[in-house]
Amino acid sequence: MSRSVEGPEGQIDLNNVTDLNLNCNENDTFAVVSSVLFVLYLAVKAKKNINKLCNGGSYIIISYYALLWIVTLLNLACSFLQAWQCSPGKEVPWNILSLFTASGMLYLEISLMIFLLNDNYMNAMETLAYTSIVSGIIVSVDALLKAIYVFGFGVPLFNRNVGSSHTVKWGLWIVHTLLLAAAYGFILFVHFSKWREKLPPRPTFYNYVVIMFIFSATTLFACGMAGFGASLGNWLYDFTVLCYHSLYLPFLYLTFLADFFQEEDFLLDNAYYSEMKDAGFFDADWE
């Protein structure tokens, strides 16, 4: 039975409002729990990790660890405030928070790809400067374009409950995910080509790239289906967004930072860190 009330723009279907609220809250629990657990994990490890950074960490690792903390806290705020995307009057703060969080996570992705593609002749400070400049330019342009579409043209890029009615939104996300999938695909191509010696010879790096390539391709497929009005596309896109915000930051930490903070391997695994130094991950000198 349909229920409606008179609003400033005419009749409002209360059943649709209820369904919308359910859609806004159905994934909150998992996102919040996963975000809180990761923050607690970082907090428990913080004292030991900071001590190791002070005693022998490079500027690259220090800056990356600090950025990881910032993005993790932004992502935690997003997970707690998901209902804002469905709350009248909260669209602007939700879009601002989502834009900063998305830009931070994209910066982490882009900077890691640049690390992997750096020429080995670059030292740590050159790598840090080069990576910061290139990643900053790419992310700034991306954030500016998103801000223009969200705040200038009213495209609901960060609202997952608009379905397939906004073709511009899905077109933008298709371009975004296509570029990311192409970048990860290029790294895989280099790995299996004659230029593979330019990349750090660590299997975990390529496991990361393979997983992110598959994830980007899946998201691209979901956006394409959603743009054509397929309900499966909307569901799959919601699932990829949930996985990205819940699992990407822990996955990144375990892949690139966890080994650095391991007590037993910190001084003993010289070959491992030598390879990473050649790739520009660490300072040239260790204490």
Side-chain angles (χ1 to χ4, degrees):
M1 178 172 143
S2 176
R3 297 178 299 147
S4 63
V5 295
E6 187 70 27
E9 298 181 357
Q11 293 288 326
I12 299 176
D13 191 339
L14 294 181
N15 290 327
N16 290 338
V17 172
T18 301
D19 292 341
L20 185 59
N21 288 332
L22 288 174
N23 289 335
C24 283
N25 296 321
E26 61 185 0
N27 294 326
D28 284 0
T29 301
F30 181 78
V32 169
V33 170
S34 60
S35 299
V36 169
L37 288 177
F38 186 56
V39 170
L40 291 176
Y41 176 81
L42 289 180
V44 170
K45 299 284 186 179
K47 183 177 180 180
K48 182 180 71 173
N49 292 347
I50 292 174
N51 287 337
K52 287 190 175 179
L53 290 174
C54 294
N55 293 329
S58 72
Y59 292 115
I60 292 176
I61 296 298
I62 291 172
S63 60
Y64 210 79
Y65 182 69
L67 182 60
L68 177 67
W69 260 108
I70 294 172
V71 176
T72 298
L73 294 176
L74 285 172
N75 190 57
L76 178 67
C78 267
S79 67
F80 272 106
L81 300 174
Q82 289 181 73
W84 278 12
Q85 63 186 306
C86 302
S87 302
K90 297 291 187 179
E91 293 89 351
V92 172
W94 169 255
N95 286 327
I96 293 174
L97 178 61
S98 298
L99 181 62
F100 275 100
T101 305
S103 297
M105 297 181 77
L106 180 63
Y107 187 93
L108 291 173
E109 281 198 69
I110 297 298
S111 60
L112 282 178
M113 284 190 278
I114 293 174
F115 281 143
L116 292 176
L117 293 173
N118 266 333
D119 290 326
N120 290 336
Y121 63 81
M122 299 179 70
N123 63 38
M125 290 306 297
E126 289 176 339
T127 300
L128 178 60
Y130 177 79
T131 301
S132 299
I133 292 172
V134 176
S135 301
I137 291 174
I138 295 174
V139 174
S140 296
V141 171
D142 178 83
L144 178 60
L145 291 175
K146 288 176 180 176
I148 291 173
Y149 278 97
V150 171
F151 300 108
F153 301 117
V155 178
L157 278 180
F158 304 112
N159 191 322
R160 69 174 189 263
N161 301 288
V162 297
S164 303
S165 58
H166 293 270
T167 55
V168 176
K169 167 187 172 177
W170 296 116
L172 291 172
W173 281 127
I174 286 173
V175 173
H176 178 85
T177 53
L178 178 61
L179 292 174
L180 286 176
Y184 287 118
F186 176 74
I187 296 176
L188 292 178
F189 167 77
V190 172
H191 175 59
F192 292 105
S193 70
K194 62 182 180 180
W195 301 288
R196 64 180 300 170
E197 67 276 1
K198 293 182 176 292
L199 300 176
R202 298 305 303 175
T204 52
F205 297 165
Y206 304 106
N207 293 338
Y208 167 85
V209 173
V210 168
I211 291 174
M212 293 306 298
F213 174 75
I214 295 173
F215 176 81
S216 299
T218 303
T219 306
L220 176 63
F221 176 70
C223 291
M225 291 185 63
F228 283 106
S231 58
L232 177 61
N234 286 280
W235 177 87
L236 185 58
Y237 174 76
D238 289 345
F239 181 72
T240 59
V241 170
L242 177 64
C243 290
Y244 185 69
H245 285 277
S246 301
L247 303 176
Y248 175 70
L249 294 174
F251 175 52
L252 181 148
Y253 178 86
L254 292 175
T255 302
F256 290 94
L257 293 176
D259 283 343
F260 176 84
F261 293 122
Q262 297 236 344
E263 257 184 75
E264 297 176 358
D265 296 336
F266 181 64
L267 295 176
L268 298 179
D269 196 356
N270 293 325
Y272 175 85
Y273 290 110
S274 175
E275 292 168 355
M276 293 189 72
K277 283 193 294 181
D278 291 339
F281 279 83
F282 298 91
D283 287 336
D285 298 321
W286 289 81
E287 295 181 2

